[in-house]
Amino acid sequence: VPGRIVNIDFKNLDRLTSIPASDQYHLILVEKGVLNIMLNREHLSATAPCIITLRENTDVQIISCHMLQAKLIAFDVAFLNLNITYDMINSGEYERISENFGFIPLNIFYENNSKYFNVLPLAESFSQLQEQFYKFRDVIVQQSNRRWTCQARLCLNIILELLHQLYQEYLNRKTELYNIKDPNTWVSLLLEKIHSDYARDLSLITLSRYIHINKTTVSKYFKIITGSSVTDY
């Protein structure tokens, strides 16, 4: 459309210092490490592998990141379809008409509930999402032909469709989310515990008892995943 610019972007976030608030949606694929941020003054801890979703103009403050390896896709919703606007989404109109017009579901950006707050854990689908992120990156960096924007939109649509499926499965799980045998899972639990109870006297023994895992194992994997010992953190 003449005179209208629709922004998209891709970035490596291995050394994350800030995420400026903007009129864009953000998808952050956390491939390795741990990321702690404040979203509109609410704390969020993300342990790889996971996806962080940010709606437009979110106030993001970086608290810390440890051994982080991540990729970011930022896009204006009009990139999906020029008829889509943030006002349409935030008013609820988008959800009502999305099925009729074949629009991609975007619930993962604007819904928050007791089970979901901007972080979607990944398991078997991590490699598939990572592949699509890299395809998106290659398309917008190389711009090898006149149809590169269509190819980028296709990659983004695939990512969003997959994320919507994973989001629905996540909400419908009847079993406990956390697998205590997975170090990434219980380290994330420990980080949440530390950040919520930091004013209390927390020790390695206290945290080990909290997740019912011996302190040697906790100490070992906490340092592998976060890059710090429990005491130093």
Side-chain angles (χ1 to χ4, degrees):
V1 177
R4 183 172 182 183
I5 297 175
V6 177
N7 293 315
I8 57 171
D9 197 8
F10 182 96
K11 293 180 180 178
N12 290 307
L13 299 181
D14 299 353
R15 291 187 177 181
L16 184 61
T17 55
S18 66
I19 302 176
S22 64
D23 240 356
Q24 291 178 297
Y25 276 176
H26 292 77
L27 286 170
I28 302 174
L29 177 65
V30 182
E31 300 169 295
K32 293 182 181 178
V34 180
L35 176 61
N36 293 296
I37 57 181
M38 296 290 289
L39 298 184
N40 296 327
R41 300 185 179 181
E42 293 192 59
H43 178 261
L44 182 148
S45 180
T47 303
C50 68
I51 282 277
I52 301 173
T53 58
L54 305 176
R55 63 189 300 171
E56 79 282 6
N57 299 320
T58 300
D59 179 22
V60 183
Q61 298 177 25
I62 310 301
I63 301 173
S64 65
C65 53
H66 304 279
M67 303 177 69
L68 183 68
Q69 181 175 314
K71 303 289 184 288
L72 176 145
I73 291 176
F75 65 96
D76 188 316
V77 291
F79 179 66
L80 301 174
N81 187 299
L82 288 173
N83 294 312
I84 300 174
T85 66
Y86 293 110
D87 287 341
M88 177 191 296
I89 294 171
N90 297 330
S91 68
E93 182 185 0
Y94 181 85
E95 193 162 358
R96 291 193 298 271
I97 68 174
S98 59
E99 290 188 8
N100 294 334
F101 288 89
F103 291 160
I104 298 292
L106 298 172
N107 310 60
I108 197 169
F109 289 98
Y110 58 78
E111 284 185 354
N112 283 316
N113 48 61
S114 59
K115 291 190 69 174
Y116 177 77
F117 177 60
N118 296 88
V119 177
L120 185 66
L122 301 174
E124 294 83 2
S125 299
F126 169 68
S127 296
Q128 187 178 357
L129 273 170
Q130 187 181 48
E131 179 183 357
Q132 292 301 324
F133 262 69
Y134 289 175
K135 284 184 179 179
F136 181 89
R137 174 200 62 191
D138 292 344
V139 169
I140 68 170
V141 169
Q142 296 171 7
Q143 299 184 22
S144 57
N145 58 62
R146 293 182 179 180
R147 296 185 59 82
W148 72 267
T149 56
C150 296
Q151 294 166 355
R153 188 176 298 108
L154 176 60
C155 289
L156 184 56
N157 282 341
I158 292 172
I159 290 170
L160 293 173
E161 285 281 12
L162 180 56
L163 286 176
H164 181 68
Q165 294 174 19
L166 295 173
Y167 174 65
Q168 293 300 315
E169 292 172 4
Y170 174 71
L171 293 183
N172 293 329
R173 283 179 183 171
K174 295 181 180 179
T175 56
E176 191 66 30
L177 167 64
Y178 299 109
N179 176 7
I180 209 67
K181 295 180 181 179
D182 180 1
N184 286 300
T185 297
W186 50 257
V187 166
S188 180
L189 279 174
L190 292 181
L191 289 172
E192 290 180 8
K193 177 71 171 175
I194 292 170
H195 295 145
S196 61
D197 293 346
Y198 65 91
R200 300 182 183 180
D201 183 17
L202 293 175
S203 67
L204 176 58
I205 294 175
T206 303
L207 295 173
S208 298
R209 288 174 178 169
Y210 176 65
I211 56 172
H212 306 290
I213 296 178
N214 72 75
K215 63 180 183 179
T216 302
T217 302
V218 170
S219 178
K220 175 184 176 181
Y221 285 102
F222 190 95
K223 185 161 188 177
I224 290 174
I225 293 171
T226 69
S228 300
S229 69
V230 172
T231 303
D232 288 343
Y233 191 88

